[in-house]
Amino acid sequence: MQYRTETRSSLSSYNKVNNMGMFPSDTLARVESMAAENAVVIFSVSTCCMCHAVKGLFRGMGVSPAVHELDLHPYGADIHRALLRLLGCSNGASTSPGGLPVVFIGGKMVGSMERVMASHINGSLVPLLKDAGALWL
Amino acid sequence: MANHRVISEAINHNDNHHLSYSLLHGLSNNPPPPGFINQDGSSSFDYGELEEAMVLQAVKYRSDEAKPRGGATTLEMFPSWPIRTHQSLPTESSKSGGESSDSGSANFSGKAESQQLESPMSSKRNHNLMLQHRNNNKVNSSPTSGLPSTSRTPAPPKASEDKMKATTSGKLLDAKTLRRLAQNREAARKSRLRKKAYVQQLESSRIKLSQLEQELQRARSQGMFMGGCGPPGPNITSGAAMFNMEYGRWLEDDNRHISEIRTGLQAHLSDNDLRLIVDSYIAHFDEVFRLKAVGAKADVFHLIIGTWMSPAERCFIWMAGFRPSDSIKILVSQMDLLTEQQLMGIYGLQHSSQQAEEALSQGLEQLQQSLMDTLAASQVIDGMQQIAVALGKVSNLEGFIRQADNLRQQTVHQLRRILTVQQAARCFLVVGEYYGRLRALSSLWLSRPRETLISDETSCQTTMDLQMVQSSRNHFSNF
């Protein structure tokens, strides 16, 4: 519940600020709900190697993320497009082709592999995970 | 007489026929060893009966044909020579022979004009002389032996000459002949020596040329002699060559920055002054990551293989560069006077860097596995489609290299945040010097003396890396 509010407000603020226009609200809602389900949510593609790397990173830290393989998801394409738009406005261009993986922690979007690693190196990732309840200690 | 003439003419024709071959062969053949010529000299002739002598002559011609016409060869290099010297000789020798018999000399001079070659002429002359002076076999043998041997070699001249002198009862003409023969010998020897010298010169310039070509190839692909980079493959892409050049320039800059930091620390500059130097060094570091991003887009394989690095650096290569956690290890071992918080921060940085490296390595491994599966798959799907899928997978490599560089960049920035200005300067100096020593080690290893055949190659590399060795002395002075 706490997560959901955060997601909705953050996403709608993206909407206002960046004038995204014709955004299918049900897709957005879906993304929201998926992102809110777990402390750590990864949108990935089953064959993507960078997605494999990011999964490995979290698992190596002792976190068990919720992974959504969009190529195996019924609405995967829509979700992918929505995510790309979110990424396009908040980050720079993602370095991995196709924009995935995209990581949400505590309902908030962290971004692609680049952002995840940068936040891990500068020490901001672990507190974030702790706050979201994904990590103890 | 007629018979002899016929025979000798026949033999002459044979020789003329072989003349063209000998002219061709003569230029390419080496001068014959002296021993060979001696066979035609005095020692081999048997002055028994006429028939025996004729047979021997015939044998001699045959052996001449079989052998690479060594004696003739030497002279045929300068075909103009024999003609001049020769036309006088027969007349003189015929004169000398003519004392015993006029008909022989008449025959002889007639034949002389038709001849072009010295050796068959001389042989023929000998033949005729032998035929004419049947009674004086021994007498004739010496001119016979004397003339061919002297015309072909400088060696064993004295004995036959003496014989000739003695037997033809010391005439003035013989002295002239002797002089001419001696001159011939001298000229032949000089020409042989010149030829040898020329061949040696050619050989040495050939070696020099191959060395220069190697140097040029190295220089062209690297742009400058830095860090003892390994020799590039034959097919270097333009993107790769461009990157090598840019990286070479960056390395030069790096050396400059490091020495600036060193002097700054030694001069105990204030924090503000040192901060400028440190920040410019970080900007310089950002520059290399930008270069590598461009290089990865142009030629990702070139970056991964790492020929742009020195061989020793390449030993430790991880994702087209250094391992960030390794740099932190180097740093931790050399830095002192860190507060506990700073130490915690640095160990935390090392830990998270290791985790990130592990994750990227796992991702790359999966990429390699996936590529292997794609390429190894049997042709269930269309071959072109398979290639397209494989190409798509290869395109992911660039992303991994970018992420690895991103990791390196973030590590450098985080270090700057954790450490004070002074500490940061010391840290960059320590790590910079480490990699400088590693590069110097490469150069020294490459230019170490080796017991190979081509020692010139080693010395060539030594001169090339001399700059590096001299600058490496700075690095090694800190050991």
Side-chain angles (χ1 to χ4, degrees), chain A residues 48-50 52-53 56-57 60-61 95 97 113-114 117-118 120-122, chain B residues 349 352-353 355 359 362-363 366-367 396 399-400 403 406-407 410 414 417:
Chain A
C48 169
C49 304
M50 198 57 83
H52 182 84
L57 178 63
M61 294 197 291
T95 50
M113 181 60 154
E114 193 167 330
M117 282 208 313
H120 191 33
I121 291 295
N122 69 26
Chain B
L349 176 60
S352 44
S353 170
Q355 283 176 330
Q362 279 179 9
Q366 207 218 22
L367 179 61
N396 287 321
F400 276 98
Q403 292 307 322
N406 178 43
L407 185 63
Q410 293 299 319
Q414 179 66 1
R417 269 178 240 128

mmCIF file of all heavy atoms in Angstrom, chain A residues 48-50 52-53 56-57 60-61 95 97 113-114 117-118 120-122, chain B residues 349 352-353 355 359 362-363 366-367 396 399-400 403 406-407 410 414 417:
data_model
loop_
_atom_site.group_PDB
_atom_site.id
_atom_site.type_symbol
_atom_site.label_atom_id
_atom_site.label_comp_id
_atom_site.label_asym_id
_atom_site.label_seq_id
_atom_site.Cartn_x
_atom_site.Cartn_y
_atom_site.Cartn_z
ATOM 1 N N CYS A 48 18.221 -12.122 -22.628
ATOM 2 C CA CYS A 48 19.161 -11.000 -22.540
ATOM 3 C C CYS A 48 20.231 -11.286 -21.501
ATOM 4 O O CYS A 48 19.937 -11.667 -20.363
ATOM 5 C CB CYS A 48 18.398 -9.730 -22.177
ATOM 6 S SG CYS A 48 19.471 -8.354 -21.743
ATOM 7 N N CYS A 49 21.464 -11.086 -21.881
ATOM 8 C CA CYS A 49 22.587 -11.411 -21.005
ATOM 9 C C CYS A 49 22.812 -10.342 -19.944
ATOM 10 O O CYS A 49 23.252 -10.662 -18.829
ATOM 11 C CB CYS A 49 23.860 -11.600 -21.825
ATOM 12 S SG CYS A 49 23.645 -12.837 -23.084
ATOM 13 N N MET A 50 22.535 -9.106 -20.276
ATOM 14 C CA MET A 50 22.669 -8.041 -19.280
ATOM 15 C C MET A 50 21.646 -8.235 -18.184
ATOM 16 O O MET A 50 21.913 -7.959 -17.014
ATOM 17 C CB MET A 50 22.521 -6.667 -19.946
ATOM 18 C CG MET A 50 23.047 -5.525 -19.131
ATOM 19 S SD MET A 50 24.775 -5.694 -18.674
ATOM 20 C CE MET A 50 25.576 -5.093 -20.142
ATOM 21 N N HIS A 52 20.584 -11.103 -17.236
ATOM 22 C CA HIS A 52 21.180 -12.183 -16.467
ATOM 23 C C HIS A 52 22.193 -11.621 -15.480
ATOM 24 O O HIS A 52 22.263 -12.051 -14.323
ATOM 25 C CB HIS A 52 21.842 -13.177 -17.430
ATOM 26 C CG HIS A 52 22.446 -14.354 -16.758
ATOM 27 N ND1 HIS A 52 21.718 -15.478 -16.408
ATOM 28 C CD2 HIS A 52 23.700 -14.596 -16.355
ATOM 29 C CE1 HIS A 52 22.516 -16.349 -15.833
ATOM 30 N NE2 HIS A 52 23.722 -15.847 -15.784
ATOM 31 N N ALA A 53 22.970 -10.652 -15.924
ATOM 32 C CA ALA A 53 23.989 -10.039 -15.066
ATOM 33 C C ALA A 53 23.343 -9.326 -13.883
ATOM 34 O O ALA A 53 23.811 -9.445 -12.740
ATOM 35 C CB ALA A 53 24.842 -9.057 -15.880
ATOM 36 N N GLY A 56 22.076 -11.720 -11.405
ATOM 37 C CA GLY A 56 23.204 -12.265 -10.672
ATOM 38 C C GLY A 56 23.713 -11.315 -9.613
ATOM 39 O O GLY A 56 24.100 -11.731 -8.524
ATOM 40 N N LEU A 57 23.694 -10.033 -9.940
ATOM 41 C CA LEU A 57 24.159 -9.024 -8.985
ATOM 42 C C LEU A 57 23.307 -9.041 -7.723
ATOM 43 O O LEU A 57 23.819 -9.080 -6.597
ATOM 44 C CB LEU A 57 24.127 -7.645 -9.638
ATOM 45 C CG LEU A 57 24.544 -6.470 -8.752
ATOM 46 C CD1 LEU A 57 25.997 -6.612 -8.320
ATOM 47 C CD2 LEU A 57 24.348 -5.152 -9.483
ATOM 48 N N GLY A 60 23.707 -12.259 -5.782
ATOM 49 C CA GLY A 60 24.999 -12.268 -5.114
ATOM 50 C C GLY A 60 24.987 -11.447 -3.830
ATOM 51 O O GLY A 60 25.774 -11.702 -2.916
ATOM 52 N N MET A 61 24.105 -10.451 -3.775
ATOM 53 C CA MET A 61 24.025 -9.626 -2.573
ATOM 54 C C MET A 61 23.101 -10.248 -1.547
ATOM 55 O O MET A 61 22.919 -9.711 -0.446
ATOM 56 C CB MET A 61 23.527 -8.220 -2.922
ATOM 57 C CG MET A 61 24.500 -7.465 -3.766
ATOM 58 S SD MET A 61 24.164 -5.710 -3.783
ATOM 59 C CE MET A 61 22.651 -5.669 -4.705
ATOM 60 N N THR A 95 22.290 1.730 -22.090
ATOM 61 C CA THR A 95 23.372 1.187 -22.906
ATOM 62 C C THR A 95 23.047 -0.194 -23.456
ATOM 63 O O THR A 95 23.664 -0.642 -24.392
ATOM 64 C CB THR A 95 24.664 1.085 -22.078
ATOM 65 O OG1 THR A 95 24.352 0.414 -20.863
ATOM 66 C CG2 THR A 95 25.214 2.453 -21.771
ATOM 67 N N PRO A 97 20.863 -2.793 -25.516
ATOM 68 C CA PRO A 97 19.865 -2.678 -26.593
ATOM 69 C C PRO A 97 18.504 -3.169 -26.107
ATOM 70 O O PRO A 97 18.384 -4.185 -25.464
ATOM 71 C CB PRO A 97 20.428 -3.585 -27.692
ATOM 72 C CG PRO A 97 21.397 -4.473 -27.024
ATOM 73 C CD PRO A 97 21.925 -3.743 -25.839
ATOM 74 N N MET A 113 20.943 -1.166 -15.915
ATOM 75 C CA MET A 113 22.134 -1.746 -15.291
ATOM 76 C C MET A 113 23.140 -0.666 -14.903
ATOM 77 O O MET A 113 23.753 -0.731 -13.845
ATOM 78 C CB MET A 113 22.782 -2.732 -16.277
ATOM 79 C CG MET A 113 24.021 -3.424 -15.749
ATOM 80 S SD MET A 113 23.683 -4.379 -14.270
ATOM 81 C CE MET A 113 24.949 -5.608 -14.354
ATOM 82 N N GLU A 114 23.278 0.327 -15.767
ATOM 83 C CA GLU A 114 24.250 1.384 -15.502
ATOM 84 C C GLU A 114 23.937 2.097 -14.192
ATOM 85 O O GLU A 114 24.812 2.299 -13.341
ATOM 86 C CB GLU A 114 24.233 2.372 -16.666
ATOM 87 C CG GLU A 114 25.393 3.335 -16.654
ATOM 88 C CD GLU A 114 25.528 4.077 -17.971
ATOM 89 O OE1 GLU A 114 25.155 3.506 -19.010
ATOM 90 O OE2 GLU A 114 26.009 5.215 -17.940
ATOM 91 N N MET A 117 24.466 -0.196 -11.103
ATOM 92 C CA MET A 117 25.879 -0.349 -10.727
ATOM 93 C C MET A 117 26.425 0.945 -10.137
ATOM 94 O O MET A 117 27.164 0.915 -9.153
ATOM 95 C CB MET A 117 26.700 -0.769 -11.938
ATOM 96 C CG MET A 117 26.538 -2.234 -12.251
ATOM 97 S SD MET A 117 27.972 -2.958 -13.052
ATOM 98 C CE MET A 117 28.312 -1.765 -14.284
ATOM 99 N N ALA A 118 26.076 2.068 -10.745
ATOM 100 C CA ALA A 118 26.561 3.341 -10.222
ATOM 101 C C ALA A 118 26.088 3.537 -8.788
ATOM 102 O O ALA A 118 26.850 3.967 -7.909
ATOM 103 C CB ALA A 118 26.082 4.478 -11.099
ATOM 104 N N HIS A 120 25.297 1.215 -6.717
ATOM 105 C CA HIS A 120 25.975 0.243 -5.859
ATOM 106 C C HIS A 120 27.370 0.746 -5.497
ATOM 107 O O HIS A 120 27.786 0.673 -4.338
ATOM 108 C CB HIS A 120 26.068 -1.101 -6.569
ATOM 109 C CG HIS A 120 26.508 -2.226 -5.677
ATOM 110 N ND1 HIS A 120 26.194 -2.305 -4.341
ATOM 111 C CD2 HIS A 120 27.243 -3.327 -5.945
ATOM 112 C CE1 HIS A 120 26.714 -3.393 -3.823
ATOM 113 N NE2 HIS A 120 27.366 -4.038 -4.760
ATOM 114 N N ILE A 121 28.091 1.293 -6.455
ATOM 115 C CA ILE A 121 29.457 1.759 -6.205
ATOM 116 C C ILE A 121 29.453 2.965 -5.273
ATOM 117 O O ILE A 121 30.264 3.056 -4.350
ATOM 118 C CB ILE A 121 30.161 2.097 -7.529
ATOM 119 C CG1 ILE A 121 30.434 0.832 -8.336
ATOM 120 C CG2 ILE A 121 31.458 2.842 -7.285
ATOM 121 C CD1 ILE A 121 31.405 -0.120 -7.712
ATOM 122 N N ASN A 122 28.531 3.861 -5.499
ATOM 123 C CA ASN A 122 28.533 5.042 -4.619
ATOM 124 C C ASN A 122 27.839 4.788 -3.292
ATOM 125 O O ASN A 122 27.664 5.682 -2.476
ATOM 126 C CB ASN A 122 27.967 6.277 -5.332
ATOM 127 C CG ASN A 122 26.484 6.163 -5.605
ATOM 128 O OD1 ASN A 122 25.732 5.471 -4.923
ATOM 129 N ND2 ASN A 122 26.038 6.879 -6.628
ATOM 130 N N LEU B 349 33.900 -0.168 -0.900
ATOM 131 C CA LEU B 349 34.020 0.055 -2.338
ATOM 132 C C LEU B 349 34.613 -1.179 -3.015
ATOM 133 O O LEU B 349 34.129 -1.605 -4.070
ATOM 134 C CB LEU B 349 34.904 1.281 -2.582
ATOM 135 C CG LEU B 349 35.230 1.642 -4.017
ATOM 136 C CD1 LEU B 349 33.969 1.942 -4.802
ATOM 137 C CD2 LEU B 349 36.165 2.833 -4.067
ATOM 138 N N SER B 352 31.846 -3.924 -3.130
ATOM 139 C CA SER B 352 30.778 -3.719 -4.113
ATOM 140 C C SER B 352 31.326 -3.792 -5.538
ATOM 141 O O SER B 352 30.647 -4.291 -6.444
ATOM 142 C CB SER B 352 30.051 -2.390 -3.883
ATOM 143 O OG SER B 352 30.966 -1.362 -3.624
ATOM 144 N N SER B 353 32.541 -3.342 -5.689
ATOM 145 C CA SER B 353 33.164 -3.448 -7.007
ATOM 146 C C SER B 353 33.318 -4.915 -7.399
ATOM 147 O O SER B 353 33.037 -5.296 -8.539
ATOM 148 C CB SER B 353 34.519 -2.742 -6.985
ATOM 149 O OG SER B 353 35.211 -3.026 -8.160
ATOM 150 N N GLN B 355 31.506 -7.387 -6.397
ATOM 151 C CA GLN B 355 30.185 -7.940 -6.703
ATOM 152 C C GLN B 355 29.752 -7.543 -8.115
ATOM 153 O O GLN B 355 29.214 -8.357 -8.870
ATOM 154 C CB GLN B 355 29.154 -7.464 -5.670
ATOM 155 C CG GLN B 355 29.257 -8.190 -4.361
ATOM 156 C CD GLN B 355 28.285 -7.642 -3.328
ATOM 157 O OE1 GLN B 355 27.944 -6.462 -3.336
ATOM 158 N NE2 GLN B 355 27.831 -8.500 -2.431
ATOM 159 N N ALA B 359 29.039 -9.980 -11.325
ATOM 160 C CA ALA B 359 27.774 -9.974 -12.064
ATOM 161 C C ALA B 359 28.021 -9.793 -13.556
ATOM 162 O O ALA B 359 27.450 -10.509 -14.393
ATOM 163 C CB ALA B 359 26.867 -8.861 -11.550
ATOM 164 N N GLN B 362 29.476 -12.902 -15.079
ATOM 165 C CA GLN B 362 28.451 -13.927 -15.276
ATOM 166 C C GLN B 362 27.641 -13.629 -16.526
ATOM 167 O O GLN B 362 27.320 -14.526 -17.316
ATOM 168 C CB GLN B 362 27.512 -13.984 -14.070
ATOM 169 C CG GLN B 362 28.053 -14.775 -12.908
ATOM 170 C CD GLN B 362 27.080 -14.767 -11.744
ATOM 171 O OE1 GLN B 362 25.940 -14.310 -11.854
ATOM 172 N NE2 GLN B 362 27.535 -15.255 -10.605
ATOM 173 N N GLY B 363 27.282 -12.359 -16.691
ATOM 174 C CA GLY B 363 26.509 -11.970 -17.860
ATOM 175 C C GLY B 363 27.272 -12.244 -19.135
ATOM 176 O O GLY B 363 26.717 -12.767 -20.110
ATOM 177 N N GLN B 366 27.304 -15.886 -19.930
ATOM 178 C CA GLN B 366 26.067 -16.352 -20.532
ATOM 179 C C GLN B 366 26.012 -15.946 -22.007
ATOM 180 O O GLN B 366 25.513 -16.694 -22.840
ATOM 181 C CB GLN B 366 24.855 -15.788 -19.780
ATOM 182 C CG GLN B 366 23.655 -16.695 -19.897
ATOM 183 C CD GLN B 366 22.360 -15.934 -20.039
ATOM 184 O OE1 GLN B 366 22.336 -14.791 -20.447
ATOM 185 N NE2 GLN B 366 21.274 -16.573 -19.698
ATOM 186 N N LEU B 367 26.508 -14.775 -22.314
ATOM 187 C CA LEU B 367 26.539 -14.321 -23.703
ATOM 188 C C LEU B 367 27.392 -15.255 -24.547
ATOM 189 O O LEU B 367 27.004 -15.647 -25.653
ATOM 190 C CB LEU B 367 27.086 -12.892 -23.778
ATOM 191 C CG LEU B 367 27.213 -12.278 -25.168
ATOM 192 C CD1 LEU B 367 25.868 -12.188 -25.843
ATOM 193 C CD2 LEU B 367 27.842 -10.903 -25.100
ATOM 194 N N ASN B 396 25.813 -7.376 -28.369
ATOM 195 C CA ASN B 396 25.690 -7.156 -26.934
ATOM 196 C C ASN B 396 27.030 -6.946 -26.253
ATOM 197 O O ASN B 396 27.083 -6.434 -25.127
ATOM 198 C CB ASN B 396 24.995 -8.350 -26.270
ATOM 199 C CG ASN B 396 23.521 -8.383 -26.591
ATOM 200 O OD1 ASN B 396 22.871 -7.347 -26.643
ATOM 201 N ND2 ASN B 396 22.979 -9.564 -26.816
ATOM 202 N N GLY B 399 27.783 -3.478 -25.107
ATOM 203 C CA GLY B 399 27.103 -3.102 -23.867
ATOM 204 C C GLY B 399 27.887 -3.524 -22.639
ATOM 205 O O GLY B 399 28.010 -2.766 -21.678
ATOM 206 N N PHE B 400 28.456 -4.713 -22.676
ATOM 207 C CA PHE B 400 29.228 -5.192 -21.530
ATOM 208 C C PHE B 400 30.486 -4.371 -21.327
ATOM 209 O O PHE B 400 30.861 -4.043 -20.199
ATOM 210 C CB PHE B 400 29.565 -6.671 -21.710
ATOM 211 C CG PHE B 400 28.462 -7.571 -21.256
ATOM 212 C CD1 PHE B 400 27.568 -8.109 -22.154
ATOM 213 C CD2 PHE B 400 28.297 -7.858 -19.915
ATOM 214 C CE1 PHE B 400 26.529 -8.923 -21.728
ATOM 215 C CE2 PHE B 400 27.267 -8.674 -19.470
ATOM 216 C CZ PHE B 400 26.387 -9.200 -20.379
ATOM 217 N N GLN B 403 29.529 -1.150 -19.762
ATOM 218 C CA GLN B 403 29.228 -1.296 -18.340
ATOM 219 C C GLN B 403 30.497 -1.468 -17.526
ATOM 220 O O GLN B 403 30.599 -0.925 -16.411
ATOM 221 C CB GLN B 403 28.288 -2.483 -18.090
ATOM 222 C CG GLN B 403 26.887 -2.298 -18.632
ATOM 223 C CD GLN B 403 26.256 -1.004 -18.144
ATOM 224 O OE1 GLN B 403 26.437 -0.582 -17.009
ATOM 225 N NE2 GLN B 403 25.529 -0.363 -19.039
ATOM 226 N N ASN B 406 32.063 1.823 -17.261
ATOM 227 C CA ASN B 406 31.222 2.601 -16.343
ATOM 228 C C ASN B 406 31.587 2.270 -14.899
ATOM 229 O O ASN B 406 31.728 3.169 -14.046
ATOM 230 C CB ASN B 406 29.758 2.276 -16.631
ATOM 231 C CG ASN B 406 28.825 3.002 -15.691
ATOM 232 O OD1 ASN B 406 29.012 4.179 -15.409
ATOM 233 N ND2 ASN B 406 27.840 2.299 -15.169
ATOM 234 N N LEU B 407 31.783 0.992 -14.637
ATOM 235 C CA LEU B 407 32.181 0.548 -13.299
ATOM 236 C C LEU B 407 33.510 1.178 -12.896
ATOM 237 O O LEU B 407 33.678 1.659 -11.762
ATOM 238 C CB LEU B 407 32.281 -0.979 -13.284
ATOM 239 C CG LEU B 407 32.575 -1.640 -11.948
ATOM 240 C CD1 LEU B 407 31.461 -1.372 -10.960
ATOM 241 C CD2 LEU B 407 32.745 -3.133 -12.140
ATOM 242 N N GLN B 410 33.028 4.911 -12.183
ATOM 243 C CA GLN B 410 32.353 5.135 -10.908
ATOM 244 C C GLN B 410 33.305 4.897 -9.739
ATOM 245 O O GLN B 410 33.248 5.619 -8.730
ATOM 246 C CB GLN B 410 31.136 4.207 -10.772
ATOM 247 C CG GLN B 410 30.011 4.500 -11.739
ATOM 248 C CD GLN B 410 29.459 5.895 -11.528
ATOM 249 O OE1 GLN B 410 29.300 6.353 -10.396
ATOM 250 N NE2 GLN B 410 29.178 6.576 -12.615
ATOM 251 N N GLN B 414 34.232 7.573 -6.871
ATOM 252 C CA GLN B 414 33.937 7.263 -5.479
ATOM 253 C C GLN B 414 35.184 7.415 -4.611
ATOM 254 O O GLN B 414 35.107 7.924 -3.491
ATOM 255 C CB GLN B 414 33.365 5.845 -5.372
ATOM 256 C CG GLN B 414 33.029 5.371 -3.981
ATOM 257 C CD GLN B 414 31.887 6.139 -3.344
ATOM 258 O OE1 GLN B 414 31.294 7.047 -3.944
ATOM 259 N NE2 GLN B 414 31.561 5.796 -2.109
ATOM 260 N N ARG B 417 35.658 10.852 -3.726
ATOM 261 C CA ARG B 417 34.719 11.303 -2.679
ATOM 262 C C ARG B 417 35.180 10.866 -1.305
ATOM 263 O O ARG B 417 35.053 11.606 -0.331
ATOM 264 C CB ARG B 417 33.322 10.734 -2.953
ATOM 265 C CG ARG B 417 32.465 11.646 -3.812
ATOM 266 C CD ARG B 417 31.120 11.024 -4.109
ATOM 267 N NE ARG B 417 30.956 10.863 -5.542
ATOM 268 C CZ ARG B 417 30.619 9.727 -6.140
ATOM 269 N NH1 ARG B 417 30.431 8.633 -5.443
ATOM 270 N NH2 ARG B 417 30.490 9.686 -7.442
#
